[in-house]
């Protein structure tokens, strides 16, 4: 492994093995040989009934304490930037690669369109960012792909002309044909199903998710600062405001509940535990589904651009690498192992990139 900082050590994954339920799923993609591997959330966590969870040979809470990525040395950062150059610095070559092709824009929300904040309910995007997204959507099909509940993301973004893939892509809906921008009408007018794109990958899990939500909410009442967020097809147990000595208690309570639900999996994020159905569906599959719904499956005249900051966005980056079309852009100030081709340092640079893209497109139109 290189010296590049991987995603933080708190971002580990633990899955309770279970067969994927029958339904409409895409074939799994294998990472390209030689492509950088994503290490975020990939350390195994023991969810057995005996003992505390152990990550990387140490107690779970020690892993959390050491979770902040270290600051990279200048030489290391420079080496990483050579491999993942700024999408702003390389804007013209990037635009040249998309010449003659239909750009389709995919955007994560938290950490991409809005900064990471202590209270998830306050992750509000600025009016300037909303305007940048709106202008891009005037020219290109645009989707928001988030771990949040689809309705919550729509409430944050407030743009009905976009496509929304919530719950890590498990809940997808697009605008009706009568409300779609002209560029979308041109692409999908021959597809009856695209009049209102709608797909839910894990509807059968809704009763179970609701049951676990009630159970966890009751258990978290005894831990000050802990809260359970219902994201429809997944649950987020936030402990950012929990005292450090209580972190392990949060982890133990969640694990004790999930022992009764073998068809759910547990992922650890940045001071959040996420509970999701154990199905073969992720943001990469959501990207594929939306491209297919827009009529671009198997075509070489499409140029998808996916911008995201999280480990879950790596699934989409890898799909684009395997397609050999479009680009992935990682939002990060620090070197991280990623399948993205380009980088932007923060939401402010994302906003600038979107503005430049909309301005260039607008200038070329009569």
């Amino acid at each position: 492994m290189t010296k590049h900082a991987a995603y933080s050590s708190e971002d580990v994954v633990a899955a309770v093995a279970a067969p994927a339920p029958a339904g409409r799923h895409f074939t799994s993609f294998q990472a390209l040989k030689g492509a950088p591997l994503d290490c975020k959330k990939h350390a195994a966590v023991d969810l057995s009934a005996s003992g505390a969870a152990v990550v990387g040979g140490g107690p779970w809470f020690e892993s959390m304490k050491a979770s902040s990525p270290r600051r990279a040395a200048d030489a290391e950062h420079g080496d990483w930037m050579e491999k993942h150059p700024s999408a702003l610095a390389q804007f013209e070559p990037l635009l040249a690669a998309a010449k003659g092709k239909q750009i389709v824009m995919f955007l994560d929300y938290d950490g991409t369109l809005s900064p990471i904040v202590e209270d998830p309910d306050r992750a509000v995007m600025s009016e300037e960012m909303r305007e940048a997204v709106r202008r891009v959507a005037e020219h290109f099909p645009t989707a928001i792909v988030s771990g949040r509940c689809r309705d919550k993301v729509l409430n944050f973004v407030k743009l009905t002309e976009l496509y929304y893939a919530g719950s890590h892509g498990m809940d997808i809906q697009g605008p009706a044909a009568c409300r779609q921008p002209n560029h979308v009408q041109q692409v999908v007018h021959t597809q009856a199903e695209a009049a209102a794109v709608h797909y839910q990958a894990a509807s059968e899990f809704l009763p179970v998710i609701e049951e676990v939500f009630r159970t966890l909410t009751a258990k978290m009442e005894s831990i000050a600062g802990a809260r359970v967020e219902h994201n429809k097809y997944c649950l987020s147990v936030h402990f950012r405001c929990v005292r450090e000595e209580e972190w392990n208690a949060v982890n133990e309570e969640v694990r004790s509940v999930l022992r009764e639900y073998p068809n759910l999996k547990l992922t650890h994020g940045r001071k959040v535990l996420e509970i999701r159905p154990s199905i073969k569906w992720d943001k990469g599959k959501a990207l594929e589904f939306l491209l297919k719904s827009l009529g671009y499956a198997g075509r070489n005249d499409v140029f998808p651009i996916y911008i995201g900051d999280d480990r879950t966005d790596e699934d989409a980056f890898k799909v684009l690498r395997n397609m050999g079309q479009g680009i992935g852009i990682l939002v990060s100030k620090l070197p991280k192992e990623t399948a993205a081709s380009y980088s932007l340092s923060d939401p402010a640079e994302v906003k600038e990139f979107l503005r430049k893209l909309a301005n260039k497109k607008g200038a070329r139109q009569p």
Side-chain angles (χ1 to χ4, degrees):
M1 180 168 297
T2 68
K3 291 183 179 180
H4 297 155
Y7 287 97
S8 58
S9 58
E10 70 182 324
D11 298 326
V12 294
V13 72
V16 182
R24 184 178 177 184
H25 302 301
F26 289 94
T27 306
S28 298
F29 284 88
Q30 305 231 347
L32 291 176
K33 290 184 179 179
L37 294 177
D38 166 37
C39 295
K40 185 180 182 186
K41 296 186 180 176
H42 273 55
V45 176
D46 182 6
L47 287 182
S48 63
S50 61
V54 175
V55 182
W60 177 83
F61 66 88
E62 288 296 336
S63 171
M64 290 296 176
K65 286 170 64 176
S67 63
S68 296
R70 61 182 173 80
R71 185 170 298 278
D74 289 343
E76 181 180 352
H77 186 267
D79 180 64
W80 187 82
M81 289 299 295
E82 284 187 11
K83 297 177 180 177
H84 311 283
S86 166
L88 285 172
Q90 295 295 316
F91 184 79
E92 292 301 331
L94 188 156
L95 204 62
K99 186 177 181 180
K101 300 179 181 180
Q102 174 65 60
I103 292 175
V104 184
M105 182 66 62
F106 297 89
L107 300 163
D108 180 32
Y109 184 76
D110 292 279
T112 299
L113 298 182
S114 75
I116 299 295
V117 294
E118 293 288 323
D119 183 352
D121 289 337
R122 296 181 179 274
V124 179
M125 68 190 299
S126 67
E127 287 299 327
E128 292 82 4
M129 180 68 87
R130 182 175 293 105
E131 177 62 15
V133 174
R134 186 193 64 77
R135 291 193 59 216
V136 164
E138 286 181 350
H139 305 297
F140 316 113
T142 301
I144 309 296
V145 187
S146 172
R148 299 261 198 165
C149 169
R150 176 170 54 82
D151 290 341
K152 289 182 182 179
V153 180
L154 174 58
N155 186 54
F156 279 134
V157 179
K158 303 183 190 307
L159 296 173
T160 57
E161 62 267 34
L162 306 185
Y163 295 83
Y164 290 89
S167 302
H168 298 282
M170 284 183 278
D171 187 9
I172 301 174
Q173 188 159 347
C178 61
R179 291 185 288 119
Q180 288 174 338
N182 289 335
H183 62 75
V184 180
Q185 292 275 21
Q186 294 168 6
V187 173
V188 303
H189 71 279
T190 59
Q191 295 190 13
E193 67 171 347
V197 175
H198 190 205
Y199 181 55
Q200 295 175 325
S203 297
E204 63 269 34
F205 284 90
L206 289 176
V208 174
I209 293 293
E210 183 64 34
E211 182 178 321
V212 174
F213 173 71
R214 291 195 301 268
T215 302
L216 282 175
T217 298
K219 284 183 173 291
M220 290 301 115
E221 287 180 354
S222 63
I223 302 176
R227 57 171 295 187
V228 184
E229 182 183 11
H230 200 319
N231 287 313
K232 192 171 182 178
Y233 292 94
C234 58
L235 302 175
S236 299
V237 182
H238 298 277
F239 59 94
R240 184 172 294 275
C241 297
V242 174
R243 292 185 305 168
E244 195 172 284
E245 54 267 30
E246 297 271 16
W247 289 359
N248 218 32
V250 175
N251 180 53
E252 287 297 324
E253 290 285 16
V254 172
R255 292 194 305 117
S256 68
V257 172
L258 289 190
R259 291 191 188 102
E260 304 299 321
Y261 299 92
N263 288 329
L264 299 179
K265 65 181 179 180
L266 174 66
T267 63
H268 294 219
R270 295 177 181 176
K271 296 187 175 63
V272 62
L273 307 179
E274 292 186 299
I275 297 155
R276 289 189 264 167
S278 292
I279 63 173
K280 292 182 179 180
W281 193 266
D282 52 40
K283 290 183 177 181
K285 304 298 187 293
L287 182 152
E288 290 182 301
F289 175 83
L290 284 167
L291 287 177
K292 181 178 180 181
S293 297
L294 287 166
Y296 288 118
R299 291 171 55 173
N300 59 11
D301 60 346
V302 59
F303 194 87
I305 300 176
Y306 190 107
I307 307 178
D309 76 308
D310 192 68
R311 196 287 308 175
T312 55
D313 299 308
E314 291 294 329
D315 295 314
F317 295 154
K318 290 173 184 176
V319 166
L320 293 181
R321 275 188 176 268
N322 281 303
M323 286 175 57
Q325 294 175 249
I327 59 165
I329 302 175
L330 177 68
V331 183
S332 177
K333 291 181 181 295
L334 297 172
K336 296 177 180 179
E337 294 188 37
T338 180
S341 304
Y342 292 85
S343 65
L344 292 168
S345 65
D346 53 30
E349 287 200 352
V350 173
K351 179 176 64 178
E352 185 179 351
F353 178 85
L354 296 179
R355 282 176 169 174
K356 290 187 69 171
L357 193 60
N359 288 339
K360 281 288 186 179
K361 180 65 177 179
R364 292 183 179 183
Q365 291 181 336

